[in-house]
Amino acid sequence: MNEEKLKEKLLDWDQTLKSDARTYNAQGNNRMYHFALGCLSIVHEVLKELEEDHERRN
């Protein structure tokens, strides 16, 4: 998978996880809400690393 496809997939996951987190929060499902937030945090870290890698190469 190339960098652009990975970034696109991560951005899709970002949107899905944000929606999931809102849903779980509204339902009062704290366990799944925090799980979704944790996953979202990982996605954001990977996106940040991709951007930093891209800047270092250019």
Side-chain angles (χ1 to χ4, degrees):
M1 181 179 293
N2 69 25
E3 186 176 326
E4 280 303 311
K5 286 186 179 187
L6 176 59
K7 186 174 180 180
E8 185 178 307
K9 188 66 172 171
L10 288 167
L11 291 172
D12 286 345
W13 287 343
D14 177 68
Q15 292 303 312
T16 299
L17 289 165
K18 283 179 183 174
S19 174
D20 288 352
R22 283 191 293 271
T23 299
Y24 295 136
N25 189 38
Q27 293 172 346
N29 189 340
N30 284 335
R31 174 182 267 170
M32 290 305 296
Y33 172 68
H34 287 284
F35 178 77
L37 289 181
C39 293
L40 194 54
S41 176
I42 293 167
V43 167
H44 288 172
E45 283 298 312
V46 173
L47 283 167
K48 181 179 162 187
E49 288 294 323
L50 283 174
E51 284 297 317
E52 289 173 0
D53 268 1
H54 182 72
E55 288 175 8
R56 280 192 291 264
R57 283 183 295 194
N58 291 332

Coordinates of all heavy atoms in Angstrom, one line a residue:
M1 N 0.9 -1.2 0.0 CA 0.0 0.0 0.0 C 0.9 1.2 0.0 O 1.8 1.3 0.8 CB -0.9 0.0 1.3 CG -1.8 1.1 1.3 SD -2.9 1.1 2.8 CE -3.9 -0.3 2.5
N2 N 0.6 2.1 -0.9 CA 1.5 3.3 -1.0 C 1.0 4.4 0.1 O -0.1 4.2 0.7 CB 1.5 3.9 -2.4 CG 0.2 4.5 -2.8 OD1 -0.6 4.9 -2.0 ND2 0.0 4.6 -4.1
E3 N 1.8 5.4 0.2 CA 1.5 6.4 1.3 C 0.2 7.1 1.1 O -0.5 7.3 2.1 CB 2.7 7.4 1.3 CG 2.6 8.4 2.4 CD 3.7 9.3 2.5 OE1 4.9 8.9 2.1 OE2 3.5 10.5 2.8
E4 N -0.2 7.4 -0.1 CA -1.4 8.1 -0.4 C -2.6 7.3 -0.1 O -3.6 7.7 0.5 CB -1.5 8.6 -1.8 CG -0.7 9.9 -2.1 CD -1.2 11.0 -1.2 OE1 -2.4 11.3 -1.1 OE2 -0.3 11.7 -0.6
K5 N -2.6 6.0 -0.4 CA -3.7 5.1 -0.1 C -3.8 4.9 1.4 O -4.9 4.8 1.9 CB -3.5 3.7 -0.8 CG -3.8 3.8 -2.3 CD -3.8 2.5 -2.9 CE -4.1 2.6 -4.4 NZ -4.3 1.3 -5.0
L6 N -2.7 4.8 2.1 CA -2.7 4.6 3.5 C -3.3 5.9 4.2 O -4.1 5.7 5.1 CB -1.3 4.4 4.0 CG -1.1 4.3 5.6 CD1 -2.0 3.2 6.1 CD2 0.4 4.1 5.9
K7 N -2.9 7.0 3.7 CA -3.4 8.3 4.3 C -4.9 8.4 4.1 O -5.7 8.7 4.9 CB -2.7 9.5 3.7 CG -3.1 10.8 4.3 CD -2.3 11.9 3.8 CE -2.7 13.2 4.4 NZ -1.9 14.4 4.0
E8 N -5.4 8.0 2.9 CA -6.8 8.0 2.5 C -7.6 7.1 3.5 O -8.6 7.4 4.0 CB -7.0 7.6 1.1 CG -8.4 7.7 0.6 CD -8.5 7.3 -0.9 OE1 -7.7 7.9 -1.7 OE2 -9.3 6.4 -1.2
K9 N -7.0 5.9 3.7 CA -7.7 4.9 4.5 C -7.7 5.4 6.0 O -8.7 5.3 6.7 CB -6.9 3.5 4.5 CG -7.6 2.4 5.2 CD -8.9 2.1 4.5 CE -9.6 0.9 5.0 NZ -10.9 0.7 4.6
L10 N -6.6 6.0 6.5 CA -6.6 6.5 7.8 C -7.6 7.7 8.0 O -8.3 7.8 9.0 CB -5.2 7.0 8.1 CG -4.1 5.9 8.4 CD1 -2.7 6.5 8.4 CD2 -4.4 5.2 9.7
L11 N -7.8 8.5 7.0 CA -8.8 9.6 7.1 C -10.2 9.0 7.1 O -11.1 9.5 7.8 CB -8.6 10.6 5.9 CG -7.3 11.4 6.0 CD1 -7.1 12.2 4.7 CD2 -7.3 12.3 7.2
D12 N -10.4 7.9 6.3 CA -11.7 7.2 6.4 C -12.0 6.7 7.8 O -13.1 6.8 8.4 CB -11.8 6.1 5.4 CG -11.9 6.5 4.0 OD1 -12.3 7.7 3.7 OD2 -11.7 5.7 3.1
W13 N -10.9 6.1 8.4 CA -11.1 5.5 9.8 C -11.3 6.7 10.7 O -12.1 6.5 11.7 CB -9.8 4.8 10.2 CG -9.7 3.4 9.5 CD1 -10.7 2.7 8.9 CD2 -8.5 2.7 9.4 NE1 -10.2 1.6 8.4 CE2 -8.8 1.5 8.7 CE3 -7.2 2.8 9.9 CZ2 -7.9 0.5 8.5 CZ3 -6.3 1.9 9.6 CH2 -6.6 0.7 9.0
D14 N -10.7 7.8 10.5 CA -10.9 9.0 11.4 C -12.3 9.4 11.4 O -12.9 9.5 12.5 CB -10.0 10.1 10.9 CG -10.2 11.4 11.7 OD1 -9.8 11.4 12.8 OD2 -10.8 12.4 11.1
Q15 N -13.0 9.5 10.3 CA -14.4 9.8 10.2 C -15.3 8.8 10.9 O -16.2 9.1 11.6 CB -14.8 10.1 8.8 CG -14.1 11.3 8.1 CD -14.4 12.5 8.9 OE1 -15.6 12.8 9.2 NE2 -13.4 13.3 9.2
T16 N -15.0 7.5 10.6 CA -15.8 6.4 11.1 C -15.7 6.4 12.7 O -16.7 6.3 13.4 CB -15.3 5.1 10.6 OG1 -15.5 5.1 9.1 CG2 -16.1 3.9 11.1
L17 N -14.4 6.5 13.2 CA -14.2 6.5 14.6 C -14.8 7.7 15.3 O -15.4 7.5 16.4 CB -12.8 6.4 14.9 CG -12.1 5.0 14.6 CD1 -10.6 5.1 14.6 CD2 -12.6 3.9 15.6
K18 N -14.8 8.8 14.7 CA -15.5 10.0 15.3 C -16.9 9.8 15.4 O -17.5 10.1 16.5 CB -15.2 11.3 14.5 CG -13.8 11.8 14.6 CD -13.6 13.0 13.7 CE -12.2 13.6 13.8 NZ -12.0 14.7 12.9
S19 N -17.5 9.3 14.4 CA -19.0 9.0 14.4 C -19.3 7.9 15.4 O -20.3 8.0 16.2 CB -19.4 8.5 13.0 OG -20.8 8.1 13.0
D20 N -18.5 6.8 15.5 CA -18.7 5.8 16.5 C -18.6 6.3 17.9 O -19.4 6.0 18.8 CB -17.7 4.7 16.3 CG -17.9 3.8 15.0 OD1 -18.9 4.0 14.4 OD2 -17.0 3.0 14.7
A21 N -17.6 7.2 18.1 CA -17.4 7.7 19.5 C -18.6 8.5 19.9 O -19.1 8.4 21.0 CB -16.1 8.6 19.5
R22 N -19.1 9.3 19.0 CA -20.3 10.1 19.3 C -21.5 9.2 19.6 O -22.3 9.5 20.6 CB -20.7 11.1 18.1 CG -19.8 12.3 18.0 CD -20.3 13.3 17.0 NE -20.3 12.8 15.7 CZ -19.2 13.0 14.9 NH1 -18.2 13.6 15.2 NH2 -19.3 12.5 13.6
T23 N -21.7 8.2 18.8 CA -22.8 7.2 19.0 C -22.7 6.6 20.4 O -23.6 6.5 21.2 CB -22.8 6.2 17.9 OG1 -23.0 6.8 16.7 CG2 -23.9 5.2 18.1
Y24 N -21.5 6.0 20.7 CA -21.3 5.3 22.0 C -21.5 6.3 23.1 O -22.0 5.9 24.2 CB -19.9 4.7 22.0 CG -19.7 3.6 21.0 CD1 -18.5 3.5 20.3 CD2 -20.7 2.6 20.8 CE1 -18.3 2.4 19.4 CE2 -20.5 1.6 19.9 CZ -19.3 1.5 19.2 OH -19.1 0.5 18.3
N25 N -21.0 7.5 23.0 CA -21.2 8.5 24.1 C -22.7 8.8 24.3 O -23.1 8.8 25.4 CB -20.4 9.8 23.7 CG -20.4 10.7 24.9 OD1 -20.2 10.3 26.0 ND2 -20.5 12.0 24.6
A26 N -23.4 8.9 23.2 CA -24.8 9.2 23.3 C -25.6 8.0 24.0 O -26.6 8.2 24.7 CB -25.4 9.5 22.0
Q27 N -25.1 6.8 23.7 CA -25.7 5.6 24.3 C -25.3 5.4 25.7 O -25.8 4.5 26.4 CB -25.3 4.4 23.4 CG -25.9 4.3 22.1 CD -25.3 3.2 21.2 OE1 -24.3 2.6 21.6 NE2 -25.9 2.9 20.1
G28 N -24.3 6.1 26.2 CA -23.8 5.9 27.5 C -22.9 4.6 27.6 O -22.6 4.1 28.7
N29 N -22.4 4.2 26.5 CA -21.5 3.0 26.5 C -20.0 3.5 26.6 O -19.3 3.7 25.6 CB -21.7 2.2 25.1 CG -21.0 0.9 25.1 OD1 -20.1 0.7 25.9 ND2 -21.4 0.1 24.2
N30 N -19.6 3.6 27.9 CA -18.3 4.2 28.2 C -17.2 3.4 27.7 O -16.2 3.9 27.2 CB -18.2 4.5 29.7 CG -18.9 5.7 30.1 OD1 -19.2 6.6 29.3 ND2 -19.3 5.8 31.4
R31 N -17.3 2.0 27.8 CA -16.2 1.2 27.4 C -15.9 1.3 25.9 O -14.8 1.5 25.5 CB -16.6 -0.3 27.7 CG -15.5 -1.3 27.1 CD -15.9 -2.7 27.4 NE -15.3 -3.1 28.6 CZ -15.6 -4.2 29.3 NH1 -16.5 -5.0 28.8 NH2 -14.9 -4.5 30.4
M32 N -17.0 1.3 25.1 CA -16.8 1.4 23.6 C -16.4 2.8 23.2 O -15.7 3.0 22.3 CB -18.0 0.9 22.9 CG -18.2 -0.6 22.9 SD -16.8 -1.5 22.4 CE -16.7 -1.1 20.7
Y33 N -16.9 3.8 24.0 CA -16.6 5.2 23.7 C -15.1 5.4 23.9 O -14.4 6.0 23.0 CB -17.4 6.1 24.7 CG -16.9 7.6 24.6 CD1 -17.2 8.4 23.5 CD2 -16.3 8.1 25.7 CE1 -16.8 9.7 23.5 CE2 -16.0 9.5 25.7 CZ -16.2 10.2 24.6 OH -15.8 11.6 24.6
H34 N -14.5 4.9 25.0 CA -13.1 5.1 25.3 C -12.3 4.2 24.3 O -11.2 4.6 23.9 CB -12.8 4.7 26.7 CG -13.3 5.8 27.6 ND1 -12.6 7.0 27.8 CD2 -14.3 5.9 28.4 CE1 -13.3 7.8 28.6 NE2 -14.3 7.1 29.1
F35 N -12.8 3.1 23.9 CA -12.1 2.3 22.9 C -12.0 3.0 21.6 O -10.9 3.1 21.0 CB -12.8 0.9 22.7 CG -12.1 0.1 21.6 CD1 -11.0 -0.6 21.9 CD2 -12.7 0.0 20.4 CE1 -10.4 -1.4 20.9 CE2 -12.1 -0.8 19.4 CZ -10.9 -1.5 19.7
A36 N -13.1 3.6 21.1 CA -13.1 4.4 19.9 C -12.1 5.6 20.0 O -11.4 5.9 19.0 CB -14.5 4.9 19.6
L37 N -12.1 6.3 21.2 CA -11.2 7.4 21.3 C -9.7 6.9 21.3 O -8.9 7.6 20.7 CB -11.5 8.1 22.7 CG -12.7 8.9 22.8 CD1 -12.8 9.6 24.1 CD2 -12.8 10.0 21.7
G38 N -9.5 5.8 21.9 CA -8.1 5.2 21.8 C -7.7 4.9 20.4 O -6.6 5.3 20.0
C39 N -8.6 4.3 19.6 CA -8.3 4.0 18.2 C -8.1 5.3 17.5 O -7.2 5.4 16.6 CB -9.4 3.2 17.6 SG -9.6 1.5 18.3
L40 N -8.9 6.3 17.7 CA -8.8 7.6 17.0 C -7.4 8.2 17.3 O -6.8 8.8 16.5 CB -9.9 8.5 17.5 CG -10.2 9.7 16.7 CD1 -10.5 9.4 15.3 CD2 -11.5 10.4 17.3
S41 N -7.0 8.1 18.6 CA -5.7 8.6 19.0 C -4.6 8.0 18.2 O -3.6 8.7 17.7 CB -5.5 8.4 20.5 OG -4.2 8.9 20.8
I42 N -4.7 6.7 18.0 CA -3.6 5.9 17.2 C -3.7 6.4 15.8 O -2.6 6.7 15.2 CB -3.9 4.4 17.3 CG1 -3.6 3.9 18.7 CG2 -3.0 3.7 16.3 CD1 -4.1 2.5 19.0
V43 N -4.8 6.5 15.2 CA -5.0 7.0 13.8 C -4.3 8.4 13.7 O -3.6 8.6 12.7 CB -6.4 7.0 13.3 CG1 -6.6 7.8 12.0 CG2 -7.0 5.6 13.2
H44 N -4.6 9.3 14.6 CA -4.0 10.6 14.5 C -2.5 10.6 14.7 O -1.8 11.4 14.0 CB -4.6 11.5 15.6 CG -6.0 11.9 15.4 ND1 -6.8 12.6 16.3 CD2 -6.8 11.7 14.3 CE1 -8.0 12.8 15.8 NE2 -8.0 12.3 14.5
E45 N -2.0 9.7 15.5 CA -0.5 9.6 15.6 C 0.1 9.1 14.3 O 1.2 9.6 13.9 CB -0.1 8.7 16.8 CG -0.3 9.3 18.1 CD 0.6 10.5 18.3 OE1 1.8 10.4 18.0 OE2 0.1 11.6 18.8
V46 N -0.5 8.1 13.7 CA 0.0 7.6 12.4 C 0.0 8.7 11.4 O 0.9 8.9 10.6 CB -0.7 6.3 12.0 CG1 -0.3 5.9 10.6 CG2 -0.5 5.2 13.0
L47 N -1.1 9.4 11.3 CA -1.2 10.5 10.3 C -0.1 11.6 10.6 O 0.5 12.1 9.6 CB -2.6 11.2 10.4 CG -3.7 10.4 9.7 CD1 -5.1 11.0 10.1 CD2 -3.6 10.4 8.2
K48 N 0.1 11.9 11.8 CA 1.1 12.9 12.2 C 2.5 12.4 11.7 O 3.3 13.1 11.2 CB 1.1 13.1 13.7 CG 2.1 14.1 14.2 CD 1.9 14.2 15.7 CE 3.1 14.8 16.4 NZ 3.0 14.8 17.8
E49 N 2.8 11.1 12.0 CA 4.1 10.5 11.6 C 4.2 10.5 10.1 O 5.3 10.8 9.5 CB 4.2 9.1 12.1 CG 4.5 9.0 13.6 CD 5.8 9.6 14.0 OE1 6.8 9.4 13.3 OE2 5.8 10.2 15.1
L50 N 3.2 10.2 9.3 CA 3.2 10.3 7.9 C 3.6 11.7 7.4 O 4.4 11.9 6.5 CB 1.9 9.8 7.3 CG 1.6 8.4 7.2 CD1 0.2 8.1 6.7 CD2 2.6 7.6 6.4
E51 N 2.9 12.7 8.0 CA 3.2 14.1 7.6 C 4.6 14.5 7.9 O 5.3 15.1 7.1 CB 2.2 15.0 8.3 CG 0.9 15.0 7.7 CD 0.8 15.5 6.3 OE1 1.5 16.5 6.0 OE2 0.1 14.9 5.5
E52 N 5.1 14.1 9.1 CA 6.5 14.4 9.4 C 7.5 13.7 8.5 O 8.5 14.3 8.1 CB 6.8 14.0 10.9 CG 6.1 14.9 11.9 CD 6.2 14.5 13.3 OE1 6.8 13.4 13.6 OE2 5.6 15.2 14.2
D53 N 7.2 12.5 8.2 CA 8.1 11.7 7.2 C 8.1 12.4 5.9 O 9.2 12.6 5.2 CB 7.6 10.3 7.0 CG 8.2 9.3 7.9 OD1 9.1 9.7 8.8 OD2 7.9 8.1 7.8
H54 N 6.9 12.9 5.4 CA 6.8 13.5 4.1 C 7.6 14.8 4.2 O 8.4 15.1 3.2 CB 5.4 13.8 3.8 CG 5.1 14.5 2.5 ND1 5.3 13.8 1.3 CD2 4.8 15.7 2.2 CE1 5.0 14.6 0.3 NE2 4.7 15.8 0.8
E55 N 7.6 15.6 5.3 CA 8.3 16.9 5.4 C 9.8 16.6 5.4 O 10.6 17.4 4.8 CB 7.9 17.6 6.6 CG 6.5 18.2 6.5 CD 6.0 18.8 7.8 OE1 6.8 19.0 8.7 OE2 4.8 19.2 7.8
R56 N 10.2 15.5 6.1 CA 11.7 15.2 6.1 C 12.2 14.9 4.8 O 13.4 15.2 4.5 CB 11.9 14.1 7.1 CG 11.9 14.5 8.6 CD 12.5 13.4 9.5 NE 11.6 12.3 9.6 CZ 10.7 12.1 10.5 NH1 10.5 13.0 11.5 NH2 9.9 11.0 10.5
R57 N 11.4 14.2 4.0 CA 11.9 13.8 2.7 C 12.0 14.9 1.7 O 12.7 14.9 0.7 CB 11.0 12.7 2.1 CG 11.3 11.3 2.7 CD 10.5 10.3 2.1 NE 9.1 10.7 2.4 CZ 8.0 9.9 2.3 NH1 8.2 8.7 1.7 NH2 6.8 10.2 2.6
N58 N 11.2 16.0 1.9 CA 11.2 17.1 1.0 C 12.0 18.2 1.4 O 12.6 18.6 2.2 CB 9.7 17.6 0.8 CG 8.9 16.6 0.0 OD1 9.5 15.8 -0.8 ND2 7.6 16.6 0.2

